[in-house]
Amino acid sequence: MPHSYLINERTFLAIKPDGVQRHLIGEIIRRFEKKGFKLVGMKLMQASEDLLKEHYIALRDCPFYSHLVEYMRSGPIVAMVWQGLDVVKTAYAMIGETNPADSRPGTIQGDFCIEVSKNVIHGSDSIESARREISLWFHTDKLTCWADSTEHWIYE
Ligand code: GDP
């Protein structure tokens, strides 16, 4: 079994408003759950403009920034925290490339979307981003720590 701090790595994933409207919540959660990752936090919420501006602060000078914030405000989002060995890197790979056109079949963006401006899911791109995003979207002391009985069948 890898050291517990390694399997406790966390990432932030969010099903965007188009993913919710297109009834992809179950399909998306299913992929991470079946992979073997552990869900430790989840909420369906309408994000505020302030939260979204802060979430995408690194993109504030991009021409699509305000469009992006509007898109993310256009309906409810499913905000989630997932845990597991290398979850940041692996979940990001399972999502696909930022532009769905560059994403392979088998990835979420390769399978479910076409345009970069309607790309159904967000995932943290690094451990540092994951830390920042989790603390932005969740009270970290409210995340649920639980013992997954399948852990011995997933990790050596
Ligand atoms: P990510 O790490 O894959 O989410 O990619 P980025 O941080 O570069 O972009 C954040 C989000 O901005 C993407 O997931 C898209 O929703 C959106 N985005 C990125 N590039 C474009 C673009 O050229 N046009 C529009 N409208 N949205 C974009």
Side-chain angles (χ1 to χ4, degrees), residues 16 56 59 64 67-68 71 92 96-98 109 116-119 121-123 125:
K16 297 181 178 184
Y56 282 124
L59 301 178
F64 56 82
H67 183 271
L68 174 60
Y71 156 51
Y92 200 70
E97 300 300 318
T98 304
Q109 295 187 338
V116 70
S117 51
K118 294 276 190 300
N119 62 353
I121 182 167
H122 164 83
D125 61 5

Side-chain angles (χ1 to χ4, degrees), residues 37-95:
F37 291 131
K38 180 156 81 173
L39 183 62
V40 295
M42 178 164 71
K43 55 187 173 184
L44 176 73
M45 59 182 283
Q46 177 73 52
S48 70
E49 185 174 356
D50 285 350
L51 172 60
L52 293 166
K53 283 184 164 169
E54 186 60 31
H55 175 81
Y56 282 124
I57 192 86
L59 301 178
R60 65 187 176 282
D61 295 328
C62 291
F64 56 82
Y65 179 65
S66 48
H67 183 271
L68 174 60
V69 171
E70 277 313 300
Y71 156 51
M72 294 292 283
R73 281 185 67 210
S74 65
I77 285 173
V78 179
M80 299 178 284
V81 179
W82 286 84
Q83 193 168 296
L85 183 68
D86 285 332
V87 68
V88 173
K89 189 171 143 226
T90 306
Y92 200 70
M94 289 168 68
I95 287 171

Side-chain angles (χ1 to χ4, degrees), residues 1 12 41 83 121 128 132 148:
M1 185 83 97
F12 173 71
Q83 193 168 296
I121 182 167
E128 297 70 47
R132 187 184 78 86
D148 185 340

